[in-house]
Amino acid sequence: MRYYIYAFIVLLLDQATKWLIVSRLELGESRSVIGDFFQITSHRNAGAAFGILQNQRWFFLAITVLVAVGVVWYLQKTRKEGKKLLPFALSLLLGGALGNFIDRALFGEVVDFLDFHFRFSFFGIPVNYPFPIFNIADSAIVVGVALIFVDSLISWRQEAKQNAANKLESGDAQS
């Protein structure tokens, strides 16, 4: 149950921050948080990450329903196995997916506002990179996917250790 609470917290944080942006900033308006590096910018995205697949609302709604059902099923499965990291990662993924789903279902676009602009010199070459504007749901999805990857690495390592131990045991039994 607690993993669904985590997903709900992500959903609430996402929707609350988006509501604040929509109610307090005009579309395109920016407020500096850390100079030009980090700004809060009211932006809308009718596509996916990095603005790809613009105006594919029904596609994203259908995919999100399928993903959410799959995540809930897998969350139940991993919870029963006693895992901790993977269900937490899945709860972040679920909360983020539902947060963006609500925006797409109600408005046909997602409210984005976290705006980072990287300016620095890399071995004497100037770098000027505005990162695509994103939101809390996007962040939860990215962190969730990263944690799924970490969990996979941990599981792989544990399996490798177990296989090595099994080989040692079977080698000792044959001696």
Side-chain angles (χ1 to χ4, degrees):
M1 182 67 179
R2 71 176 159 191
Y3 297 108
Y4 295 107
I5 292 171
Y6 298 151
F8 187 66
I9 290 169
V10 168
L11 177 65
L12 284 179
L13 283 172
D14 177 65
Q15 291 298 298
T17 54
K18 289 173 179 175
W19 177 82
L20 285 171
I21 296 305
V22 169
S23 65
R24 298 188 183 199
L25 294 176
E26 294 293 321
L27 186 59
E29 184 179 351
S30 291
R31 302 261 173 94
S32 177
V33 177
I34 304 174
D36 288 336
F37 169 67
F38 175 39
Q39 297 184 34
I40 301 296
T41 300
S42 180
H43 178 73
R44 304 300 179 274
N45 183 0
F50 306 109
I52 62 170
L53 298 173
Q54 287 293 310
N55 300 313
Q56 300 297 316
R57 178 183 189 183
W58 296 108
F59 170 76
F60 289 120
L61 291 174
I63 291 298
T64 304
V65 168
L66 291 173
V67 167
V69 167
V71 167
V72 167
W73 173 81
Y74 199 52
L75 182 57
Q76 287 300 109
K77 183 180 183 229
T78 58
R79 245 177 18 101
K80 290 176 184 172
E81 293 171 359
K83 293 188 171 210
K84 301 283 189 239
L85 182 59
L86 187 55
F88 178 69
L90 292 169
S91 69
L92 293 178
L93 197 63
L94 181 62
L98 293 176
N100 283 340
F101 177 85
I102 289 171
D103 283 13
R104 283 193 182 96
L106 296 178
F107 311 114
E109 58 190 7
V110 173
V111 175
D112 288 330
F113 57 91
L114 298 170
D115 187 3
F116 289 87
H117 197 127
F118 298 90
R119 290 185 182 107
F120 56 91
S121 178
F122 185 72
F123 295 108
I125 302 168
V127 174
N128 186 1
Y129 178 68
F131 194 81
I133 302 171
F134 59 101
N135 59 43
I136 301 298
D138 299 333
S139 300
I141 291 167
V142 168
V143 171
V145 168
L147 290 177
I148 289 169
F149 181 70
V150 168
D151 182 77
S152 296
L153 289 175
I154 291 169
S155 294
W156 173 75
R157 188 167 180 195
Q158 288 172 340
E159 286 176 20
K161 282 183 180 179
Q162 185 62 43
N163 288 340
N166 290 343
K167 283 182 182 179
L168 281 176
E169 284 179 14
S170 65
D172 288 343
Q174 292 176 359
S175 300

Coordinates of all heavy atoms in Angstrom, one line a residue, residues 40-129:
I40 N 12.2 29.3 -13.5 CA 10.9 28.7 -13.6 C 10.2 29.4 -14.8 O 10.1 30.6 -14.8 CB 10.1 29.0 -12.3 CG1 10.8 28.4 -11.1 CG2 8.6 28.5 -12.4 CD1 10.9 26.9 -11.1
T41 N 9.9 28.6 -15.8 CA 9.3 29.2 -17.0 C 8.0 28.5 -17.3 O 8.0 27.2 -17.4 CB 10.3 29.0 -18.2 OG1 11.5 29.7 -17.9 CG2 9.7 29.5 -19.5
S42 N 6.9 29.2 -17.5 CA 5.6 28.6 -17.8 C 5.7 28.2 -19.3 O 5.8 29.0 -20.2 CB 4.5 29.6 -17.6 OG 3.3 29.1 -17.9
H43 N 5.6 26.9 -19.5 CA 5.7 26.3 -20.9 C 4.6 25.2 -21.0 O 4.3 24.6 -20.0 CB 7.1 25.8 -21.0 CG 7.4 25.1 -22.3 ND1 7.5 25.8 -23.5 CD2 7.5 23.8 -22.7 CE1 7.7 25.0 -24.5 NE2 7.7 23.7 -24.0
R44 N 4.2 24.9 -22.2 CA 3.3 23.8 -22.5 C 3.9 22.9 -23.6 O 4.5 23.4 -24.5 CB 1.9 24.3 -23.0 CG 1.2 25.3 -22.1 CD 0.9 24.7 -20.7 NE 0.3 25.7 -19.9 CZ 0.9 26.6 -19.2 NH1 2.2 26.7 -19.2 NH2 0.2 27.5 -18.4
N45 N 3.7 21.6 -23.4 CA 4.2 20.6 -24.3 C 3.1 19.7 -24.7 O 2.6 19.0 -23.9 CB 5.4 19.9 -23.7 CG 6.1 18.9 -24.6 OD1 5.7 18.7 -25.7 ND2 7.0 18.2 -24.0
A46 N 2.8 19.7 -26.0 CA 1.7 18.8 -26.5 C 2.4 17.5 -27.1 O 1.7 16.7 -27.7 CB 1.0 19.5 -27.7
G47 N 3.6 17.3 -26.8 CA 4.3 16.1 -27.2 C 4.9 15.3 -26.1 O 4.4 15.4 -24.9
A48 N 5.9 14.6 -26.4 CA 6.6 13.8 -25.3 C 7.9 14.5 -24.9 O 8.1 15.7 -25.2 CB 6.9 12.4 -25.9
A49 N 8.8 13.7 -24.3 CA 10.1 14.3 -23.9 C 10.8 15.0 -25.0 O 10.8 14.5 -26.2 CB 11.0 13.2 -23.3
F50 N 11.4 16.1 -24.7 CA 12.1 16.9 -25.7 C 11.2 17.4 -26.8 O 11.7 17.7 -27.9 CB 13.3 16.1 -26.3 CG 14.2 15.6 -25.2 CD1 14.3 14.2 -24.9 CD2 15.0 16.4 -24.5 CE1 15.1 13.7 -23.9 CE2 15.8 16.0 -23.5 CZ 15.9 14.6 -23.2
G51 N 9.9 17.4 -26.6 CA 9.0 17.9 -27.6 C 8.7 17.0 -28.8 O 8.1 17.5 -29.8
I52 N 9.1 15.8 -28.7 CA 8.9 14.9 -29.9 C 7.4 14.5 -29.9 O 6.7 14.5 -28.9 CB 9.8 13.6 -29.9 CG1 9.5 12.8 -28.6 CG2 11.3 14.1 -29.9 CD1 10.2 11.4 -28.7
L53 N 7.0 14.0 -31.1 CA 5.6 13.5 -31.3 C 4.5 14.5 -30.9 O 3.6 14.2 -30.2 CB 5.4 12.2 -30.6 CG 6.3 11.0 -31.1 CD1 6.1 9.8 -30.2 CD2 6.0 10.7 -32.5
Q54 N 4.7 15.7 -31.3 CA 3.7 16.8 -31.0 C 2.3 16.4 -31.4 O 2.1 15.8 -32.5 CB 4.1 18.1 -31.6 CG 5.3 18.8 -31.0 CD 5.0 19.3 -29.6 OE1 4.1 20.0 -29.3 NE2 5.9 18.9 -28.7
N55 N 1.3 16.8 -30.6 CA -0.1 16.7 -30.9 C -0.6 15.3 -31.1 O -1.4 15.0 -32.0 CB -0.5 17.6 -32.1 CG -0.2 19.0 -31.8 OD1 -0.5 19.6 -30.7 ND2 0.5 19.7 -32.7
Q56 N 0.0 14.3 -30.4 CA -0.4 12.9 -30.5 C -1.1 12.6 -29.2 O -0.8 11.5 -28.5 CB 0.8 12.0 -30.7 CG 1.6 12.3 -32.0 CD 0.7 12.1 -33.2 OE1 0.0 11.1 -33.3 NE2 0.8 13.0 -34.1
R57 N -2.1 13.4 -28.7 CA -2.7 13.3 -27.4 C -3.3 11.9 -27.2 O -3.0 11.3 -26.2 CB -3.8 14.3 -27.4 CG -4.7 14.3 -26.1 CD -5.8 15.3 -26.2 NE -6.5 15.4 -24.9 CZ -7.5 16.2 -24.8 NH1 -8.0 16.9 -25.8 NH2 -8.1 16.2 -23.6
W58 N -4.1 11.3 -28.1 CA -4.7 10.1 -27.9 C -3.7 8.9 -27.9 O -3.9 8.0 -27.1 CB -5.8 9.8 -29.0 CG -6.9 10.9 -28.9 CD1 -7.1 11.9 -29.7 CD2 -7.8 11.0 -27.8 NE1 -8.1 12.7 -29.2 CE2 -8.6 12.1 -28.0 CE3 -8.1 10.3 -26.6 CZ2 -9.6 12.6 -27.1 CZ3 -9.0 10.7 -25.7 CH2 -9.8 11.8 -26.0
F59 N -2.7 9.0 -28.6 CA -1.6 8.0 -28.6 C -1.0 8.0 -27.2 O -0.9 6.9 -26.6 CB -0.6 8.4 -29.6 CG 0.7 7.5 -29.5 CD1 0.7 6.2 -29.9 CD2 1.8 8.1 -29.0 CE1 1.8 5.4 -29.8 CE2 3.0 7.3 -28.8 CZ 3.0 6.0 -29.3
F60 N -0.7 9.2 -26.6 CA -0.1 9.2 -25.3 C -1.0 8.8 -24.2 O -0.6 8.1 -23.3 CB 0.4 10.7 -25.0 CG 1.7 11.0 -25.8 CD1 1.6 12.1 -26.6 CD2 2.8 10.3 -25.7 CE1 2.7 12.4 -27.4 CE2 3.9 10.6 -26.4 CZ 3.9 11.7 -27.3
L61 N -2.3 9.1 -24.4 CA -3.3 8.7 -23.4 C -3.4 7.2 -23.4 O -3.4 6.5 -22.3 CB -4.7 9.3 -23.6 CG -4.7 10.8 -23.4 CD1 -6.1 11.4 -23.8 CD2 -4.5 11.2 -21.9
A62 N -3.5 6.6 -24.6 CA -3.6 5.1 -24.6 C -2.3 4.4 -24.1 O -2.4 3.5 -23.3 CB -3.8 4.7 -26.1
I63 N -1.2 4.9 -24.5 CA 0.1 4.3 -24.0 C 0.2 4.5 -22.5 O 0.6 3.5 -21.8 CB 1.3 5.0 -24.7 CG1 1.4 4.7 -26.2 CG2 2.6 4.7 -24.0 CD1 1.6 3.2 -26.5
T64 N -0.2 5.6 -22.0 CA -0.1 5.8 -20.5 C -1.0 4.8 -19.8 O -0.6 4.3 -18.7 CB -0.4 7.3 -20.1 OG1 0.5 8.1 -20.8 CG2 -0.2 7.5 -18.6
V65 N -2.2 4.6 -20.3 CA -3.1 3.6 -19.6 C -2.4 2.2 -19.6 O -2.4 1.5 -18.6 CB -4.4 3.6 -20.3 CG1 -5.3 2.4 -19.9 CG2 -5.2 4.9 -20.1
L66 N -1.8 1.8 -20.8 CA -1.2 0.5 -20.9 C 0.0 0.5 -19.9 O 0.2 -0.5 -19.2 CB -0.7 0.3 -22.3 CG -1.8 0.0 -23.3 CD1 -1.2 -0.1 -24.7 CD2 -2.6 -1.2 -23.0
V67 N 0.8 1.5 -19.9 CA 2.0 1.6 -19.0 C 1.6 1.5 -17.5 O 2.1 0.8 -16.7 CB 2.9 2.8 -19.3 CG1 3.9 3.0 -18.2 CG2 3.5 2.7 -20.6
A68 N 0.5 2.3 -17.2 CA 0.1 2.3 -15.8 C -0.4 0.9 -15.3 O -0.1 0.5 -14.2 CB -1.0 3.4 -15.6
V69 N -1.2 0.3 -16.2 CA -1.7 -1.1 -15.9 C -0.5 -2.0 -15.7 O -0.4 -2.8 -14.7 CB -2.6 -1.6 -17.0 CG1 -2.9 -3.1 -16.8 CG2 -3.9 -0.8 -16.9
G70 N 0.5 -2.0 -16.6 CA 1.7 -2.8 -16.5 C 2.5 -2.5 -15.3 O 2.9 -3.4 -14.6
V71 N 2.6 -1.2 -14.9 CA 3.4 -0.9 -13.7 C 2.7 -1.4 -12.5 O 3.3 -1.9 -11.5 CB 3.6 0.7 -13.7 CG1 4.1 1.1 -12.3 CG2 4.6 1.1 -14.7
V72 N 1.3 -1.2 -12.4 CA 0.6 -1.7 -11.2 C 0.8 -3.2 -11.1 O 1.0 -3.7 -10.0 CB -0.9 -1.3 -11.3 CG1 -1.7 -2.0 -10.3 CG2 -1.0 0.2 -11.1
W73 N 0.6 -3.9 -12.2 CA 0.8 -5.4 -12.2 C 2.2 -5.8 -11.7 O 2.3 -6.6 -10.8 CB 0.5 -6.0 -13.6 CG 0.9 -7.4 -13.6 CD1 0.1 -8.5 -13.2 CD2 2.1 -8.0 -14.1 NE1 0.7 -9.7 -13.4 CE2 2.0 -9.4 -13.9 CE3 3.3 -7.5 -14.6 CZ2 3.0 -10.3 -14.3 CZ3 4.3 -8.4 -14.9 CH2 4.1 -9.7 -14.8
Y74 N 3.2 -5.1 -12.2 CA 4.6 -5.4 -11.9 C 4.9 -5.0 -10.4 O 5.6 -5.7 -9.7 CB 5.6 -4.8 -12.9 CG 6.9 -5.4 -12.9 CD1 7.1 -6.8 -13.0 CD2 8.1 -4.6 -12.7 CE1 8.3 -7.4 -13.0 CE2 9.3 -5.2 -12.7 CZ 9.5 -6.6 -12.8 OH 10.7 -7.2 -12.8
L75 N 4.3 -3.9 -10.0 CA 4.5 -3.4 -8.6 C 3.9 -4.5 -7.7 O 4.6 -4.8 -6.7 CB 3.8 -2.1 -8.5 CG 3.8 -1.4 -7.1 CD1 5.3 -1.1 -6.7 CD2 3.1 -0.1 -7.2
Q76 N 2.8 -5.0 -8.0 CA 2.2 -6.1 -7.1 C 3.1 -7.3 -7.0 O 3.3 -7.8 -6.0 CB 0.8 -6.5 -7.6 CG -0.3 -5.4 -7.4 CD -0.4 -5.1 -5.9 OE1 -0.1 -4.1 -5.5 NE2 -1.0 -6.1 -5.2
K77 N 3.6 -7.7 -8.2 CA 4.5 -8.8 -8.3 C 5.8 -8.6 -7.5 O 6.2 -9.5 -6.7 CB 4.8 -9.1 -9.8 CG 5.7 -10.3 -10.0 CD 6.0 -10.5 -11.4 CE 6.8 -11.8 -11.6 NZ 7.9 -11.7 -12.4
T78 N 6.4 -7.5 -7.6 CA 7.7 -7.2 -6.9 C 7.5 -7.0 -5.4 O 8.3 -7.4 -4.6 CB 8.4 -6.0 -7.5 OG1 7.6 -4.9 -7.4 CG2 8.8 -6.3 -9.0
R79 N 6.3 -6.5 -5.1 CA 6.0 -6.3 -3.6 C 5.9 -7.7 -3.0 O 6.4 -7.9 -1.9 CB 4.7 -5.6 -3.5 CG 4.8 -4.2 -2.9 CD 3.4 -3.5 -2.8 NE 2.3 -4.3 -3.0 CZ 1.5 -4.8 -2.0 NH1 1.8 -4.4 -0.7 NH2 0.4 -5.5 -2.2
K80 N 5.3 -8.6 -3.6 CA 5.1 -10.0 -3.1 C 6.4 -10.7 -3.0 O 6.6 -11.6 -2.1 CB 4.1 -10.8 -3.9 CG 2.7 -10.3 -3.8 CD 1.8 -11.0 -4.8 CE 0.4 -10.4 -4.7 NZ -0.5 -11.0 -5.7
E81 N 7.4 -10.3 -3.8 CA 8.7 -10.9 -3.7 C 9.6 -10.3 -2.6 O 10.7 -10.7 -2.4 CB 9.4 -10.8 -5.1 CG 8.8 -11.6 -6.2 CD 9.4 -11.2 -7.6 OE1 10.3 -10.3 -7.7 OE2 8.9 -11.8 -8.5
G82 N 9.1 -9.3 -2.0 CA 9.8 -8.7 -0.9 C 10.9 -7.7 -1.3 O 11.7 -7.3 -0.5
K83 N 10.8 -7.3 -2.5 CA 11.8 -6.3 -3.0 C 11.4 -4.9 -2.4 O 10.2 -4.6 -2.1 CB 11.8 -6.2 -4.5 CG 12.4 -7.5 -5.1 CD 12.6 -7.3 -6.6 CE 13.4 -8.5 -7.1 NZ 14.2 -8.1 -8.3
K84 N 12.4 -4.0 -2.3 CA 12.2 -2.7 -1.8 C 12.4 -1.6 -2.9 O 11.6 -0.7 -3.1 CB 13.0 -2.4 -0.6 CG 12.8 -3.4 0.5 CD 11.5 -3.0 1.3 CE 11.5 -3.9 2.6 NZ 10.3 -4.7 2.6
L85 N 13.6 -1.6 -3.5 CA 14.0 -0.6 -4.4 C 13.1 -0.6 -5.7 O 12.7 0.5 -6.1 CB 15.5 -0.7 -4.8 CG 16.0 0.3 -5.8 CD1 15.9 1.7 -5.1 CD2 17.5 0.1 -6.1
L86 N 12.9 -1.7 -6.3 CA 12.1 -1.8 -7.5 C 10.7 -1.3 -7.3 O 10.2 -0.5 -8.1 CB 12.2 -3.2 -8.1 CG 11.5 -3.4 -9.4 CD1 12.1 -2.4 -10.5 CD2 11.7 -4.8 -9.9
P87 N 10.0 -1.7 -6.3 CA 8.6 -1.2 -6.1 C 8.6 0.4 -5.9 O 7.7 1.1 -6.4 CB 8.1 -1.9 -4.9 CG 8.9 -3.1 -4.7 CD 10.3 -2.8 -5.3
F88 N 9.6 0.9 -5.2 CA 9.7 2.3 -5.0 C 9.9 3.0 -6.4 O 9.3 4.0 -6.7 CB 10.9 2.7 -4.1 CG 11.0 4.2 -3.9 CD1 10.1 4.9 -3.2 CD2 12.1 4.8 -4.4 CE1 10.2 6.3 -3.1 CE2 12.3 6.2 -4.2 CZ 11.3 6.9 -3.6
A89 N 10.8 2.4 -7.2 CA 11.1 3.0 -8.5 C 9.8 2.9 -9.4 O 9.5 3.9 -10.0 CB 12.2 2.2 -9.2
L90 N 9.1 1.8 -9.3 CA 7.8 1.7 -10.0 C 6.8 2.7 -9.5 O 6.0 3.2 -10.3 CB 7.3 0.3 -9.9 CG 8.1 -0.7 -10.7 CD1 7.7 -2.2 -10.3 CD2 8.1 -0.5 -12.2
S91 N 6.8 3.0 -8.2 CA 5.8 4.0 -7.7 C 6.1 5.4 -8.2 O 5.2 6.2 -8.5 CB 5.8 4.0 -6.2 OG 7.0 4.5 -5.6
L92 N 7.4 5.7 -8.4 CA 7.8 7.0 -9.0 C 7.3 7.1 -10.4 O 6.8 8.1 -10.9 CB 9.3 7.2 -8.9 CG 9.9 7.4 -7.5 CD1 11.4 7.6 -7.6 CD2 9.3 8.6 -6.8
L93 N 7.6 6.0 -11.1 CA 7.1 5.9 -12.5 C 5.6 6.1 -12.7 O 5.1 6.8 -13.5 CB 7.6 4.6 -13.1 CG 7.7 4.4 -14.6 CD1 8.7 5.3 -15.2 CD2 8.0 2.9 -14.9
L94 N 4.9 5.4 -11.8 CA 3.4 5.5 -11.8 C 2.9 6.8 -11.5 O 2.1 7.4 -12.2 CB 2.8 4.4 -10.8 CG 1.3 4.4 -10.8 CD1 0.7 3.9 -12.1 CD2 0.9 3.4 -9.7
G95 N 3.4 7.5 -10.5 CA 3.0 8.8 -10.1 C 3.3 9.8 -11.2 O 2.5 10.7 -11.5
G96 N 4.5 9.7 -11.8 CA 4.8 10.6 -12.9 C 4.0 10.4 -14.1 O 3.5 11.4 -14.7
A97 N 3.8 9.2 -14.5 CA 2.9 8.9 -15.6 C 1.5 9.4 -15.5 O 0.9 10.0 -16.4 CB 2.9 7.4 -15.9
L98 N 1.0 9.2 -14.3 CA -0.4 9.7 -14.0 C -0.5 11.2 -14.0 O -1.5 11.8 -14.4 CB -0.9 9.1 -12.7 CG -1.2 7.6 -12.7 CD1 -1.6 7.1 -11.4 CD2 -2.1 7.2 -13.8
G99 N 0.6 11.9 -13.5 CA 0.6 13.3 -13.4 C 0.5 13.9 -14.8 O -0.3 14.8 -15.1
N100 N 1.3 13.4 -15.7 CA 1.3 13.9 -17.1 C 0.0 13.4 -17.8 O -0.5 14.1 -18.7 CB 2.5 13.5 -17.9 CG 3.8 14.3 -17.5 OD1 3.6 15.4 -17.0 ND2 4.9 13.8 -17.8
F101 N -0.5 12.3 -17.5 CA -1.7 11.8 -18.0 C -2.9 12.7 -17.8 O -3.7 13.1 -18.6 CB -2.1 10.4 -17.5 CG -3.4 9.8 -18.0 CD1 -3.4 9.2 -19.2 CD2 -4.5 10.0 -17.2 CE1 -4.6 8.6 -19.6 CE2 -5.7 9.5 -17.7 CZ -5.8 8.8 -18.9
I102 N -3.0 13.2 -16.5 CA -4.0 14.1 -16.1 C -4.0 15.4 -17.0 O -5.0 15.9 -17.5 CB -4.0 14.5 -14.6 CG1 -4.4 13.3 -13.8 CG2 -4.8 15.7 -14.3 CD1 -4.1 13.4 -12.3
D103 N -2.8 15.9 -17.2 CA -2.6 17.1 -18.0 C -3.1 16.9 -19.4 O -3.8 17.7 -20.0 CB -1.1 17.6 -18.1 CG -0.7 18.3 -16.8 OD1 -1.4 18.2 -15.8 OD2 0.4 18.9 -16.9
R104 N -2.7 15.8 -20.0 CA -3.0 15.5 -21.4 C -4.5 15.2 -21.5 O -5.1 15.7 -22.5 CB -2.3 14.2 -21.9 CG -0.8 14.5 -22.2 CD -0.2 13.4 -23.0 NE 1.2 13.7 -23.3 CZ 2.2 13.4 -22.6 NH1 2.0 12.6 -21.5 NH2 3.4 13.7 -22.9
A105 N -5.1 14.5 -20.6 CA -6.5 14.2 -20.6 C -7.4 15.5 -20.5 O -8.3 15.7 -21.2 CB -6.9 13.2 -19.5
L106 N -7.0 16.4 -19.6 CA -7.8 17.6 -19.3 C -7.5 18.7 -20.3 O -8.4 19.4 -20.7 CB -7.6 18.1 -17.9 CG -8.0 17.1 -16.8 CD1 -7.7 17.7 -15.4 CD2 -9.5 16.8 -16.9
F107 N -6.2 18.9 -20.7 CA -5.9 20.1 -21.4 C -5.2 19.8 -22.8 O -5.0 20.7 -23.6 CB -4.9 20.9 -20.6 CG -5.3 21.2 -19.2 CD1 -4.6 20.6 -18.1 CD2 -6.5 21.9 -18.9 CE1 -5.1 20.8 -16.8 CE2 -6.9 22.1 -17.6 CZ -6.2 21.5 -16.6
G108 N -4.9 18.5 -23.1 CA -4.3 18.2 -24.4 C -2.8 18.5 -24.4 O -2.2 18.3 -25.5
E109 N -2.3 19.0 -23.3 CA -0.8 19.3 -23.3 C -0.4 19.2 -21.8 O -1.2 19.2 -20.9 CB -0.6 20.7 -23.8 CG -1.3 21.8 -23.2 CD -1.2 23.1 -23.9 OE1 -0.7 23.2 -25.0 OE2 -1.7 24.1 -23.3
V110 N 0.9 19.1 -21.6 CA 1.5 19.0 -20.3 C 2.1 20.4 -19.9 O 2.8 21.0 -20.7 CB 2.6 17.9 -20.3 CG1 3.4 17.9 -19.0 CG2 2.0 16.6 -20.6
V111 N 1.9 20.7 -18.7 CA 2.5 22.0 -18.1 C 4.0 21.6 -17.7 O 4.2 20.8 -16.9 CB 1.7 22.5 -16.9 CG1 2.4 23.7 -16.3 CG2 0.3 22.8 -17.3
D112 N 4.9 22.3 -18.3 CA 6.3 22.2 -17.9 C 6.8 23.5 -17.4 O 6.3 24.6 -17.7 CB 7.2 21.8 -19.1 CG 7.0 20.4 -19.6 OD1 6.6 19.5 -18.8 OD2 7.1 20.1 -20.8
F113 N 7.8 23.5 -16.5 CA 8.3 24.8 -15.9 C 9.7 24.8 -15.4 O 10.3 25.8 -15.1 CB 7.3 25.2 -14.7 CG 7.2 24.1 -13.7 CD1 8.0 24.1 -12.6 CD2 6.2 23.2 -13.8 CE1 7.9 23.2 -11.6 CE2 6.1 22.2 -12.8 CZ 6.9 22.2 -11.7
L114 N 10.3 23.6 -15.2 CA 11.7 23.6 -14.7 C 12.7 23.8 -15.9 O 12.7 23.0 -16.8 CB 12.0 22.3 -14.0 CG 11.1 22.0 -12.8 CD1 11.3 20.6 -12.3 CD2 11.5 23.0 -11.7
D115 N 13.4 24.9 -15.9 CA 14.1 25.4 -17.1 C 15.6 25.6 -16.7 O 15.9 26.5 -15.9 CB 13.5 26.7 -17.5 CG 14.0 27.3 -18.8 OD1 14.9 26.6 -19.4 OD2 13.6 28.4 -19.2
F116 N 16.4 24.8 -17.2 CA 17.9 24.9 -17.0 C 18.6 25.2 -18.3 O 18.3 24.7 -19.3 CB 18.4 23.5 -16.4 CG 18.0 23.2 -15.1 CD1 16.8 22.6 -14.9 CD2 18.7 23.6 -14.0 CE1 16.3 22.3 -13.6 CE2 18.3 23.3 -12.7 CZ 17.1 22.6 -12.5
H117 N 19.6 26.1 -18.1 CA 20.4 26.6 -19.2 C 21.8 26.5 -18.9 O 22.3 27.2 -18.0 CB 20.0 28.0 -19.6 CG 20.5 28.4 -20.9 ND1 19.6 29.0 -21.9 CD2 21.7 28.3 -21.6 CE1 20.3 29.2 -23.0 NE2 21.5 28.8 -22.8
F118 N 22.5 25.6 -19.5 CA 23.9 25.3 -19.2 C 24.8 26.2 -20.1 O 24.8 26.1 -21.3 CB 24.3 23.8 -19.4 CG 23.5 22.9 -18.5 CD1 22.2 22.4 -18.9 CD2 24.0 22.6 -17.3 CE1 21.5 21.6 -18.0 CE2 23.2 21.8 -16.4 CZ 22.0 21.3 -16.8
R119 N 25.7 27.0 -19.5 CA 26.7 27.8 -20.2 C 28.0 27.7 -19.5 O 28.1 28.0 -18.3 CB 26.2 29.3 -20.1 CG 25.1 29.6 -21.0 CD 24.8 31.1 -21.0 NE 23.6 31.4 -21.7 CZ 22.5 31.8 -21.2 NH1 22.4 31.9 -19.9 NH2 21.5 32.1 -22.0
F120 N 29.0 27.1 -20.2 CA 30.3 26.9 -19.6 C 31.3 26.7 -20.7 O 30.9 26.6 -21.9 CB 30.3 25.8 -18.6 CG 29.9 24.5 -19.1 CD1 30.8 23.6 -19.7 CD2 28.5 24.1 -19.1 CE1 30.3 22.4 -20.2 CE2 28.1 22.9 -19.6 CZ 29.0 22.0 -20.2
S121 N 32.5 26.6 -20.3 CA 33.6 26.4 -21.3 C 34.1 24.9 -21.1 O 34.4 24.5 -20.0 CB 34.7 27.4 -21.1 OG 35.8 27.1 -22.0
F122 N 34.1 24.2 -22.2 CA 34.6 22.8 -22.1 C 35.9 22.7 -23.0 O 35.8 22.7 -24.2 CB 33.5 21.9 -22.7 CG 33.8 20.4 -22.6 CD1 33.8 19.8 -21.4 CD2 34.1 19.7 -23.7 CE1 34.1 18.4 -21.3 CE2 34.4 18.3 -23.6 CZ 34.4 17.7 -22.4
F123 N 37.0 22.7 -22.3 CA 38.3 22.7 -23.0 C 38.4 23.8 -24.0 O 38.9 23.7 -25.1 CB 38.6 21.3 -23.7 CG 38.7 20.2 -22.7 CD1 37.7 19.2 -22.6 CD2 39.8 20.0 -21.9 CE1 37.8 18.1 -21.8 CE2 39.9 19.0 -21.0 CZ 38.9 18.0 -21.0
G124 N 38.0 25.0 -23.5 CA 38.1 26.2 -24.3 C 37.0 26.4 -25.3 O 36.9 27.4 -26.0
I125 N 36.1 25.4 -25.4 CA 34.9 25.5 -26.4 C 33.7 25.9 -25.6 O 33.3 25.3 -24.6 CB 34.7 24.1 -27.0 CG1 35.9 23.6 -27.8 CG2 33.4 24.2 -27.9 CD1 35.8 22.2 -28.2
P126 N 33.1 27.0 -26.0 CA 32.0 27.5 -25.2 C 30.7 26.6 -25.5 O 30.5 26.2 -26.6 CB 31.7 28.9 -25.8 CG 32.4 28.9 -27.1 CD 33.5 27.9 -27.1
V127 N 30.1 26.2 -24.3 CA 28.9 25.4 -24.4 C 27.7 26.3 -24.0 O 27.8 27.0 -23.0 CB 29.0 24.2 -23.4 CG1 27.7 23.4 -23.4 CG2 30.1 23.3 -23.9
N128 N 26.7 26.3 -24.8 CA 25.5 27.1 -24.5 C 24.3 26.2 -24.8 O 23.8 26.1 -25.9 CB 25.4 28.3 -25.4 CG 24.3 29.2 -25.0 OD1 23.5 29.0 -24.1 ND2 24.2 30.3 -25.8
Y129 N 23.8 25.4 -23.8 CA 22.8 24.4 -24.0 C 21.6 24.7 -23.1 O 21.6 24.5 -21.9 CB 23.4 23.0 -23.7 CG 22.4 21.9 -23.9 CD1 21.8 21.6 -25.1 CD2 21.9 21.2 -22.8 CE1 20.9 20.6 -25.3 CE2 21.0 20.2 -22.9 CZ 20.5 19.9 -24.2 OH 19.6 18.9 -24.3

